[in-house]
Amino acid sequence: MSAQLKVVLFTLAILILSFGIVAFMNGYLGGAQAKKYMAESGDEDANSNSMPEDVTTADTEFELLSQYATASNATISDAFTIKQDIEGDDYFDPSQFAYVARVGDSYFDTTVFIGDGRVVDLSLYGGRANFKSFATESLSLDKISTDTIIPMNGTNLTVVDAINNSSYNNYYIAFGLNEIALYDSTTFANEISALIDTILAHNSKAIVYVVNVSPTTADISNTTIYNLDNINAFNYALKSMCQTRKDVVYLDLASSVKGDDGYLSPDDSPDGMRMNASSAAKMVEYIRQHVVERTN
C-alpha cells in the first residue's frame, strides 16, 4: 500500500470517528436538557421517571420534546408550558396567605370551580379528569340560589345547595360575562362577596379564589357591551372587594390569555369570548403556579 493511500485512509478514519463523537454528544446533551425541562415542571412524577424508553436522540430540543410528548401521550405544548411563568396581578393579604410551589394534578381532587360557560370550557378543554365544577353555560349570579341545575347524588341542586352539601379545600369563583348585561360593577362585586360569605359560612377553612373576568377579542370588544372598559371596571371592583375583605385571593387569571394589547387572541377562542383548548391549557397552567396556603 502506498504511503499516499495510507494517509488518505487515516484521514478518512479520523473524520468518521469525529462525526461519531459529535453525534453521541448531541444525543446525550439533548437528552439531559429534556430531562431538565421535565424535572422543572413540578409534576408529581417528574423526578421519579426518566425519559420514556421509546424516546430517541434528536437534533434539536424541540424534536426531542416532541418525541417525549408522543411517547407519554402528552402534547408538545404540555412539554413547553413547564417554562411558563406569568406573574399576573394577583392580590392576597400576606399576613394570611403565601404562594406555594407549582401544584400537581392531585390539587384538583379537592378543588371546585363555580361559574359560567368559561368554567365549562375549562372543564371540557383543561385536560384534567378530576376537574370539578358547579357551572353551566348560562349560569349567572342571580340564579345560584334559585335554579336547580347542579347534579348531585341523583338529584339537581342549586349552586348554593351544592356548596352546602359538599366540601372542598379550594373554591374558585368565576363569573362576569353574563353579569355585564345584568349589573353595574359595584353590584357585581357585592354579589360575589355574598357568595364568598356562603362558602366560608359552610367551610371556614376553605381558600376562596375570586377569578377576574377574562377579556374578549378586539372584534367583540369593539362591537358589544363585552368590551374592555366594562371588563376592566368589573375587575377593578372585584380586586377592591378582595382588598377590603382580606380573607380571599384575587386571581388574575386573565393574564394567562391576555395579549399585550389587552385583548384575547382570536387563536384562543372559538367565538371571541369563550375558551378553546389553547386558552384552557394556559389558564390551567396559571392556576397551577398561583396556589396559596394559609399562614395563620
Side-chain angles (χ1 to χ4, degrees), residues 109-147:
D109 290 340
T110 58
T111 299
V112 66
F113 292 76
I114 305 170
D116 53 28
R118 289 187 170 183
V119 172
V120 175
D121 295 340
L122 274 180
S123 179
L124 289 175
Y125 304 122
R128 302 291 168 259
N130 58 342
F131 189 99
K132 302 172 183 65
S133 66
F134 300 152
T136 64
E137 294 190 3
S138 60
L139 183 61
S140 53
L141 288 166
D142 62 324
K143 300 176 182 177
I144 62 174
S145 60
T146 59
D147 290 16

Side-chain angles (χ1 to χ4, degrees), residues 110-219:
T110 58
T111 299
V112 66
F113 292 76
I114 305 170
D116 53 28
R118 289 187 170 183
V119 172
V120 175
D121 295 340
L122 274 180
S123 179
L124 289 175
Y125 304 122
R128 302 291 168 259
N130 58 342
F131 189 99
K132 302 172 183 65
S133 66
F134 300 152
T136 64
E137 294 190 3
S138 60
L139 183 61
S140 53
L141 288 166
D142 62 324
K143 300 176 182 177
I144 62 174
S145 60
T146 59
D147 290 16
T148 53
I149 52 179
I150 307 301
M152 182 178 290
N153 299 327
T155 188
N156 287 337
L157 302 178
T158 66
V159 170
V160 170
D161 287 339
I163 291 170
N164 289 325
N165 283 274
S166 59
S167 183
Y168 293 92
N169 295 341
N170 313 288
Y171 294 78
Y172 286 76
I173 300 174
F175 288 91
L177 283 185
N178 294 330
E179 284 70 25
I180 285 178
L182 297 174
Y183 304 132
D184 59 48
S185 59
T186 300
T187 303
F188 172 62
N190 289 339
E191 292 294 320
I192 293 289
S193 187
L195 178 55
I196 295 169
D197 290 340
T198 297
I199 294 170
L200 294 180
H202 172 65
N203 184 355
S204 62
K205 299 298 183 182
I207 297 179
V208 178
Y209 297 82
V210 178
V211 179
N212 63 357
V213 185
S214 296
T216 57
T217 60
D219 284 346

